[in-house]
Amino acid sequence: MGNGIGGKKKILPVLTAAALIGSLLTGCGSVAEASSGNEFMGAASATVRFKVGTTTAPEGHYVKGLQEMQRLLEKYSDGEMTLDIYPNSELGNERDMMESVGLGIQEMALVSTGPFPNFCPDWSVLDLPYLFEDAQEAYRKLDGENGQALLDELSKIRIKGIGFWENGFRQLTNDSVEIRTPEDLKGIKVRTMENTIHMATYQELGASPTPMAWSEIFTALQQGTVDGQENPIAIIDSAKVYEVQHYCSMLNLFYSPCVLIINEKLYNNFTAEQKEAFDRAAEEAKVWQREYSQSYNEEGLKHMQEQGVIITEVNQEEWIEATKGVYEDVEKFGLSQEFVDTWTAD
Ligand code: EAX
């Protein structure tokens, strides 16, 4: 039994090993348990089930995309395979779930790329500010050979990266001041994901970044541990962040993909038919989820304004200029300039 994704983990208890072997011996996924009738559980009749976790709200674009994949997977596998979806960090935070998937304790997860650089440094290239001009450029590069190379890297932590879905362009919320220019950000305590480039970028802008798991955000905002947070509109709206944040500045500072991952041994144990059904359902659900995410952005902004949120458009050039320093020493993030150039080239 490996030492787990972090490499520093003690050997997990035999129970975990048994869980891994048990789930692998069934060929794919956890053996069918009659579904609890909860709307996120797949068809009770499916005999091969995959537990898939996400930190996001049931009404959000991650879960909607997973429900679409659940429908397609049941269709393409003639009812044999399904997803059992666990929203709201029920199976742990994004880093926990990544480790559980690598160990085979949990079959799947749909997570942002935030924690990935802790295990695969090249992934931090996706955290660079203003890396992509728009979603179409993001899709083209993430679905191309550069993105596939990142997905293939996950094999070293026993994860099969299936594909890049969409979290979206990250916007900044806070509850005390309208933020229009980098100057307005000075001293603002911003919750960031647990990754060094996001933190370095907010430091470059004069803010005070505080990394924490998404599940801790509401307590932190209510207790004033942080003044603001940054996420795509679909997350801000579906998680009702607007209830505790009065301002939203449309920075588009980072484009945040999310990644559908599955335990690699599980995936490699698929029969040819199971693999065909799974890959087809995942690919079609990816396209559907990106479209859903884009439409949610417009609807979510309108809904937030109806809730009284002040939406501030900013001068993007000014922010791009203010974050250029992050690109001056990429080696400190474990990246080579040559590698970054392969992502910034047209
Ligand atoms: O993946 O932690 C974050 O801000 C992520 O965007 C969120 O968990 C959805």
Side-chain angles (χ1 to χ4, degrees):
M1 184 70 179
N3 279 341
I5 291 177
K8 302 176 192 61
K9 294 266 177 210
K10 293 189 185 59
I11 299 282
L12 284 148
V14 171
L15 179 61
T16 308
L20 171 61
I21 294 162
S23 67
L24 297 183
L25 288 181
T26 57
C28 339
S30 37
V31 177
E33 294 139 13
S35 93
S36 64
N38 142 343
E39 65 181 303
F40 304 113
M41 297 298 112
S45 54
T47 53
V48 177
R49 316 183 75 86
F50 304 107
K51 255 197 183 112
V52 52
T54 167
T55 57
T56 58
E59 303 73 18
H61 56 329
Y62 283 39
V63 175
K64 297 295 181 197
L66 289 170
Q67 287 177 306
E68 177 64 6
M69 182 174 170
Q70 180 188 75
R71 181 184 72 81
L72 292 167
L73 184 58
E74 290 173 3
K75 176 182 168 190
Y76 295 141
S77 69
D78 296 327
E80 178 195 25
M81 303 162 88
T82 193
L83 303 183
D84 290 329
I85 303 165
Y86 292 81
N88 279 336
S89 304
E90 280 178 51
L91 299 182
N93 65 39
E94 295 193 324
R95 181 171 179 146
D96 298 337
M97 291 195 283
M98 274 187 61
E99 296 196 352
S100 297
V101 169
L103 289 167
I105 300 167
Q106 172 183 331
E107 287 87 10
M108 295 174 65
L110 180 63
V111 290
S112 75
T113 60
F116 283 69
N118 297 298
F119 310 100
C120 300
D122 280 354
W123 278 70
S124 57
V125 70
L126 299 180
D127 298 319
L128 287 167
Y130 298 112
L131 180 67
F132 302 126
E133 213 167 288
D134 54 35
Q136 294 313 316
E137 181 190 359
Y139 303 158
R140 175 167 57 82
K141 293 185 175 176
L142 292 168
D143 293 347
E145 56 188 42
N146 281 5
Q148 189 54 55
L150 289 183
L151 294 174
D152 293 345
E153 263 192 54
L154 297 181
S155 186
K156 69 182 179 185
I157 49 178
R158 291 181 296 281
I159 285 174
K160 171 73 178 170
I162 298 297
F164 290 101
W165 293 18
E166 179 160 280
N167 192 0
F169 280 102
R170 300 181 77 92
Q171 318 303 350
L172 176 68
T173 67
N174 86 94
D175 204 36
S176 47
V177 63
E178 185 172 20
I179 293 173
R180 191 178 295 278
T181 71
E183 208 41 46
D184 300 332
L185 203 47
K186 296 285 176 275
I188 298 283
K189 293 178 290 183
V190 180
R191 175 270 175 181
T192 68
M193 291 199 285
E194 296 155 299
N195 87 52
T196 49
I197 294 186
H198 283 199
M199 291 171 64
T201 304
Y202 275 102
Q203 272 157 349
E204 182 84 9
L205 288 164
S208 164
T210 306
M212 68 177 72
W214 179 240
S215 54
E216 297 160 27
I217 188 64
F218 271 93
T219 310
L221 289 173
Q222 280 154 347
Q223 291 177 351
T225 318
V226 292
D227 305 312
Q229 66 82 46
E230 44 87 60
N231 248 292
I233 294 300
I235 296 279
I236 297 169
D237 186 65
S238 60
K240 300 185 171 53
V241 175
Y242 53 77
E243 288 176 349
V244 290
Q245 298 273 271
H246 195 57
Y247 299 95
C248 179
S249 301
M250 303 300 284
L251 303 187
N252 287 333
L253 188 54
F254 307 106
Y255 175 82
S256 198
C258 53
V259 200
L260 186 69
I261 57 175
I262 186 171
N263 174 266
E264 188 177 54
K265 274 196 176 169
L266 208 50
Y267 180 83
N268 290 342
N269 275 340
F270 282 170
T271 63
E273 295 75 18
Q274 287 170 334
K275 185 177 180 304
E276 202 270 333
F278 186 92
D279 288 352
R280 187 177 173 196
E283 183 59 25
E284 290 180 17
K286 175 186 79 174
V287 173
W288 184 93
Q289 193 268 347
R290 285 172 172 174
E291 286 165 10
Y292 183 87
S293 170
Q294 290 295 315
S295 60
Y296 196 128
N297 271 335
E298 285 140 45
E299 293 309 309
L301 268 181
K302 262 190 277 177
H303 180 244
M304 286 164 59
Q305 283 171 311
E306 287 158 10
Q307 305 303 312
V309 174
I310 309 287
I311 304 291
T312 305
E313 298 295 342
V314 301
N315 171 349
Q316 206 103 84
E317 284 315 309
E318 193 177 1
W319 288 84
I320 291 171
E321 191 55 35
T323 54
K324 273 207 163 101
V326 175
Y327 282 83
E328 279 162 16
D329 180 9
V330 292
E331 284 74 16
K332 73 181 175 191
F333 303 121
L335 294 168
S336 72
Q337 189 56 55
E338 187 191 357
F339 178 65
V340 170
D341 293 348
T342 65
W343 279 88
T344 53
D346 272 343

